[in-house]
PDB file of all heavy atoms in Angstrom:
ATOM      1  N   VAL A 124      11.799  -2.091  13.918  1.00 92.00           N
ATOM      2  CA  VAL A 124      10.584  -1.740  13.342  1.00 92.00           C
ATOM      3  C   VAL A 124      10.217  -2.663  12.214  1.00 92.00           C
ATOM      4  O   VAL A 124      11.080  -2.993  11.378  1.00 92.00           O
ATOM      5  CB  VAL A 124      10.686  -0.325  12.786  1.00 92.00           C
ATOM      6  CG1 VAL A 124       9.408   0.111  12.040  1.00 92.00           C
ATOM      7  CG2 VAL A 124      11.045   0.755  13.828  1.00 92.00           C
ATOM      8  N   GLN A 125       8.968  -3.054  12.121  1.00 95.00           N
ATOM      9  CA  GLN A 125       8.462  -3.901  11.114  1.00 95.00           C
ATOM     10  C   GLN A 125       7.457  -3.074  10.183  1.00 95.00           C
ATOM     11  O   GLN A 125       6.627  -2.381  10.779  1.00 95.00           O
ATOM     12  CB  GLN A 125       7.718  -5.145  11.666  1.00 95.00           C
ATOM     13  CG  GLN A 125       8.634  -6.073  12.418  1.00 95.00           C
ATOM     14  CD  GLN A 125       8.811  -5.673  13.898  1.00 95.00           C
ATOM     15  OE1 GLN A 125       7.862  -5.326  14.453  1.00 95.00           O
ATOM     16  NE2 GLN A 125      10.049  -5.828  14.310  1.00 95.00           N
ATOM     17  N   LEU A 126       7.669  -3.254   8.935  1.00 96.00           N
ATOM     18  CA  LEU A 126       6.858  -2.489   8.036  1.00 96.00           C
ATOM     19  C   LEU A 126       6.057  -3.440   7.028  1.00 96.00           C
ATOM     20  O   LEU A 126       6.735  -4.371   6.553  1.00 96.00           O
ATOM     21  CB  LEU A 126       7.675  -1.472   7.201  1.00 96.00           C
ATOM     22  CG  LEU A 126       8.477  -0.488   7.991  1.00 96.00           C
ATOM     23  CD1 LEU A 126       9.348   0.301   7.082  1.00 96.00           C
ATOM     24  CD2 LEU A 126       7.594   0.504   8.739  1.00 96.00           C
ATOM     25  N   VAL A 127       4.777  -3.301   6.853  1.00 97.00           N
ATOM     26  CA  VAL A 127       4.001  -4.107   5.951  1.00 97.00           C
ATOM     27  C   VAL A 127       3.156  -3.273   5.041  1.00 97.00           C
ATOM     28  O   VAL A 127       2.320  -2.518   5.516  1.00 97.00           O
ATOM     29  CB  VAL A 127       3.110  -5.138   6.791  1.00 97.00           C
ATOM     30  CG1 VAL A 127       2.286  -5.952   5.828  1.00 97.00           C
ATOM     31  CG2 VAL A 127       3.915  -6.004   7.724  1.00 97.00           C
ATOM     32  N   GLU A 128       3.501  -3.385   3.722  1.00 98.00           N
ATOM     33  CA  GLU A 128       2.718  -2.655   2.765  1.00 98.00           C
ATOM     34  C   GLU A 128       1.497  -3.367   2.279  1.00 98.00           C
ATOM     35  O   GLU A 128       1.450  -4.680   2.368  1.00 98.00           O
ATOM     36  CB  GLU A 128       3.567  -2.309   1.572  1.00 98.00           C
ATOM     37  CG  GLU A 128       4.808  -1.489   1.783  1.00 98.00           C
ATOM     38  CD  GLU A 128       6.067  -2.511   1.957  1.00 98.00           C
ATOM     39  OE1 GLU A 128       5.862  -3.642   2.254  1.00 98.00           O
ATOM     40  OE2 GLU A 128       7.141  -1.976   1.679  1.00 98.00           O
ATOM     41  N   SER A 129       0.480  -2.590   1.893  1.00 97.00           N
ATOM     42  CA  SER A 129      -0.763  -3.194   1.279  1.00 97.00           C
ATOM     43  C   SER A 129      -1.321  -2.223   0.383  1.00 97.00           C
ATOM     44  O   SER A 129      -1.053  -1.003   0.451  1.00 97.00           O
ATOM     45  CB  SER A 129      -1.695  -3.731   2.364  1.00 97.00           C
ATOM     46  OG  SER A 129      -2.156  -2.547   3.164  1.00 97.00           O
ATOM     47  N   GLY A 130      -2.345  -2.652  -0.441  1.00 98.00           N
ATOM     48  CA  GLY A 130      -3.072  -1.708  -1.248  1.00 98.00           C
ATOM     49  C   GLY A 130      -2.701  -1.739  -2.708  1.00 98.00           C
ATOM     50  O   GLY A 130      -3.361  -1.041  -3.507  1.00 98.00           O
ATOM     51  N   GLY A 131      -1.580  -2.446  -3.041  1.00 98.00           N
ATOM     52  CA  GLY A 131      -1.217  -2.594  -4.471  1.00 98.00           C
ATOM     53  C   GLY A 131      -2.167  -3.377  -5.278  1.00 98.00           C
ATOM     54  O   GLY A 131      -3.105  -4.123  -4.773  1.00 98.00           O
ATOM     55  N   GLY A 132      -2.001  -3.262  -6.534  1.00 98.00           N
ATOM     56  CA  GLY A 132      -2.869  -4.124  -7.462  1.00 98.00           C
ATOM     57  C   GLY A 132      -2.815  -3.589  -8.834  1.00 98.00           C
ATOM     58  O   GLY A 132      -1.886  -2.852  -9.200  1.00 98.00           O
ATOM     59  N   SER A 133      -3.736  -4.034  -9.705  1.00 98.00           N
ATOM     60  CA  SER A 133      -3.700  -3.657 -11.166  1.00 98.00           C
ATOM     61  C   SER A 133      -4.823  -2.669 -11.276  1.00 98.00           C
ATOM     62  O   SER A 133      -6.004  -2.780 -10.786  1.00 98.00           O
ATOM     63  CB  SER A 133      -3.996  -4.885 -11.998  1.00 98.00           C
ATOM     64  OG  SER A 133      -2.966  -5.751 -11.867  1.00 98.00           O
ATOM     65  N   VAL A 134      -4.554  -1.641 -12.079  1.00 98.00           N
ATOM     66  CA  VAL A 134      -5.518  -0.559 -12.327  1.00 98.00           C
ATOM     67  C   VAL A 134      -5.316   0.012 -13.752  1.00 98.00           C
ATOM     68  O   VAL A 134      -4.276  -0.112 -14.260  1.00 98.00           O
ATOM     69  CB  VAL A 134      -5.396   0.574 -11.278  1.00 98.00           C
ATOM     70  CG1 VAL A 134      -4.027   1.202 -11.396  1.00 98.00           C
ATOM     71  CG2 VAL A 134      -6.453   1.603 -11.300  1.00 98.00           C
ATOM     72  N   GLN A 135      -6.410   0.571 -14.327  1.00 98.00           N
ATOM     73  CA  GLN A 135      -6.305   1.155 -15.569  1.00 98.00           C
ATOM     74  C   GLN A 135      -5.678   2.552 -15.438  1.00 98.00           C
ATOM     75  O   GLN A 135      -5.721   3.236 -14.521  1.00 98.00           O
ATOM     76  CB  GLN A 135      -7.722   1.280 -16.129  1.00 98.00           C
ATOM     77  CG  GLN A 135      -8.485   0.068 -16.434  1.00 98.00           C
ATOM     78  CD  GLN A 135      -8.047  -0.657 -17.642  1.00 98.00           C
ATOM     79  OE1 GLN A 135      -7.705   0.002 -18.720  1.00 98.00           O
ATOM     80  NE2 GLN A 135      -7.911  -2.020 -17.653  1.00 98.00           N
ATOM     81  N   ALA A 136      -5.078   2.993 -16.501  1.00 98.00           N
ATOM     82  CA  ALA A 136      -4.488   4.375 -16.642  1.00 98.00           C
ATOM     83  C   ALA A 136      -5.546   5.333 -16.258  1.00 98.00           C
ATOM     84  O   ALA A 136      -6.671   5.314 -16.691  1.00 98.00           O
ATOM     85  CB  ALA A 136      -3.881   4.627 -17.932  1.00 98.00           C
ATOM     86  N   GLY A 137      -5.227   6.298 -15.422  1.00 98.00           N
ATOM     87  CA  GLY A 137      -6.101   7.247 -14.943  1.00 98.00           C
ATOM     88  C   GLY A 137      -6.808   6.969 -13.628  1.00 98.00           C
ATOM     89  O   GLY A 137      -7.493   7.833 -13.087  1.00 98.00           O
ATOM     90  N   GLY A 138      -6.634   5.799 -13.254  1.00 98.00           N
ATOM     91  CA  GLY A 138      -7.223   5.321 -11.961  1.00 98.00           C
ATOM     92  C   GLY A 138      -6.479   5.640 -10.811  1.00 98.00           C
ATOM     93  O   GLY A 138      -5.497   6.371 -10.910  1.00 98.00           O
ATOM     94  N   SER A 139      -6.915   5.237  -9.584  1.00 98.00           N
ATOM     95  CA  SER A 139      -6.323   5.566  -8.284  1.00 98.00           C
ATOM     96  C   SER A 139      -6.100   4.297  -7.475  1.00 98.00           C
ATOM     97  O   SER A 139      -6.872   3.262  -7.547  1.00 98.00           O
ATOM     98  CB  SER A 139      -7.230   6.588  -7.583  1.00 98.00           C
ATOM     99  OG  SER A 139      -7.353   7.752  -8.298  1.00 98.00           O
ATOM    100  N   LEU A 140      -5.087   4.435  -6.599  1.00 98.00           N
ATOM    101  CA  LEU A 140      -4.873   3.393  -5.601  1.00 98.00           C
ATOM    102  C   LEU A 140      -4.403   4.124  -4.349  1.00 98.00           C
ATOM    103  O   LEU A 140      -3.728   5.202  -4.408  1.00 98.00           O
ATOM    104  CB  LEU A 140      -3.768   2.400  -6.060  1.00 98.00           C
ATOM    105  CG  LEU A 140      -4.185   1.350  -7.119  1.00 98.00           C
ATOM    106  CD1 LEU A 140      -2.898   0.666  -7.543  1.00 98.00           C
ATOM    107  CD2 LEU A 140      -5.159   0.343  -6.507  1.00 98.00           C
ATOM    108  N   ARG A 141      -4.587   3.519  -3.296  1.00 98.00           N
ATOM    109  CA  ARG A 141      -4.053   3.953  -1.980  1.00 98.00           C
ATOM    110  C   ARG A 141      -3.307   2.958  -1.293  1.00 98.00           C
ATOM    111  O   ARG A 141      -3.849   1.966  -0.894  1.00 98.00           O
ATOM    112  CB  ARG A 141      -5.129   4.532  -1.043  1.00 98.00           C
ATOM    113  CG  ARG A 141      -4.484   5.238   0.258  1.00 98.00           C
ATOM    114  CD  ARG A 141      -5.609   5.811   1.115  1.00 98.00           C
ATOM    115  NE  ARG A 141      -6.113   4.775   1.989  1.00 98.00           N
ATOM    116  CZ  ARG A 141      -6.791   4.976   3.074  1.00 98.00           C
ATOM    117  NH1 ARG A 141      -6.922   6.264   3.588  1.00 98.00           N
ATOM    118  NH2 ARG A 141      -7.379   3.937   3.734  1.00 98.00           N
ATOM    119  N   LEU A 142      -2.005   3.168  -1.190  1.00 98.00           N
ATOM    120  CA  LEU A 142      -1.036   2.301  -0.525  1.00 98.00           C
ATOM    121  C   LEU A 142      -0.984   2.528   1.008  1.00 98.00           C
ATOM    122  O   LEU A 142      -1.019   3.781   1.393  1.00 98.00           O
ATOM    123  CB  LEU A 142       0.346   2.334  -1.127  1.00 98.00           C
ATOM    124  CG  LEU A 142       0.500   2.070  -2.591  1.00 98.00           C
ATOM    125  CD1 LEU A 142       1.892   2.134  -3.010  1.00 98.00           C
ATOM    126  CD2 LEU A 142      -0.234   0.791  -3.121  1.00 98.00           C
ATOM    127  N   SER A 143      -0.864   1.487   1.720  1.00 98.00           N
ATOM    128  CA  SER A 143      -0.692   1.708   3.222  1.00 98.00           C
ATOM    129  C   SER A 143       0.453   0.921   3.735  1.00 98.00           C
ATOM    130  O   SER A 143       0.887  -0.126   3.083  1.00 98.00           O
ATOM    131  CB  SER A 143      -2.038   1.082   3.890  1.00 98.00           C
ATOM    132  OG  SER A 143      -3.195   1.756   3.559  1.00 98.00           O
ATOM    133  N   CYS A 144       1.127   1.486   4.700  1.00 97.00           N
ATOM    134  CA  CYS A 144       2.256   0.903   5.361  1.00 97.00           C
ATOM    135  C   CYS A 144       2.014   0.895   6.787  1.00 97.00           C
ATOM    136  O   CYS A 144       2.103   2.018   7.509  1.00 97.00           O
ATOM    137  CB  CYS A 144       3.449   1.640   4.972  1.00 97.00           C
ATOM    138  SG  CYS A 144       5.018   1.148   5.801  1.00 97.00           S
ATOM    139  N   ALA A 145       1.909  -0.321   7.372  1.00 96.00           N
ATOM    140  CA  ALA A 145       1.587  -0.444   8.773  1.00 96.00           C
ATOM    141  C   ALA A 145       2.892  -0.719   9.463  1.00 96.00           C
ATOM    142  O   ALA A 145       3.741  -1.575   9.116  1.00 96.00           O
ATOM    143  CB  ALA A 145       0.684  -1.548   9.032  1.00 96.00           C
ATOM    144  N   ALA A 146       3.199   0.211  10.505  1.00 94.00           N
ATOM    145  CA  ALA A 146       4.443   0.078  11.250  1.00 94.00           C
ATOM    146  C   ALA A 146       4.133  -0.495  12.627  1.00 94.00           C
ATOM    147  O   ALA A 146       3.211  -0.114  13.236  1.00 94.00           O
ATOM    148  CB  ALA A 146       5.105   1.472  11.404  1.00 94.00           C
ATOM    149  N   SER A 147       5.097  -1.379  13.038  1.00 93.00           N
ATOM    150  CA  SER A 147       4.961  -1.925  14.338  1.00 93.00           C
ATOM    151  C   SER A 147       6.381  -2.076  15.009  1.00 93.00           C
ATOM    152  O   SER A 147       7.336  -1.860  14.365  1.00 93.00           O
ATOM    153  CB  SER A 147       4.229  -3.236  14.386  1.00 93.00           C
ATOM    154  OG  SER A 147       4.974  -4.235  13.505  1.00 93.00           O
ATOM    155  N   GLY A 148       6.332  -2.424  16.211  1.00 89.00           N
ATOM    156  CA  GLY A 148       7.647  -2.494  17.003  1.00 89.00           C
ATOM    157  C   GLY A 148       7.956  -1.188  17.664  1.00 89.00           C
ATOM    158  O   GLY A 148       7.053  -0.333  17.964  1.00 89.00           O
TER     159      GLY A 148
END
């Protein structure tokens, strides 16, 4: 199985982010 994360970054306190992990194999 291969896993690739995305969606990270810099954000101000109180903000939001959505991380994704794409699985293959």
Side-chain angles (χ1 to χ4, degrees):
V124 177
Q125 295 83 43
L126 304 173
V127 180
E128 303 98 332
S129 62
S133 298
V134 66
Q135 297 281 319
S139 299
L140 286 172
R141 188 178 75 160
L142 305 184
S143 298
C144 173
S147 61

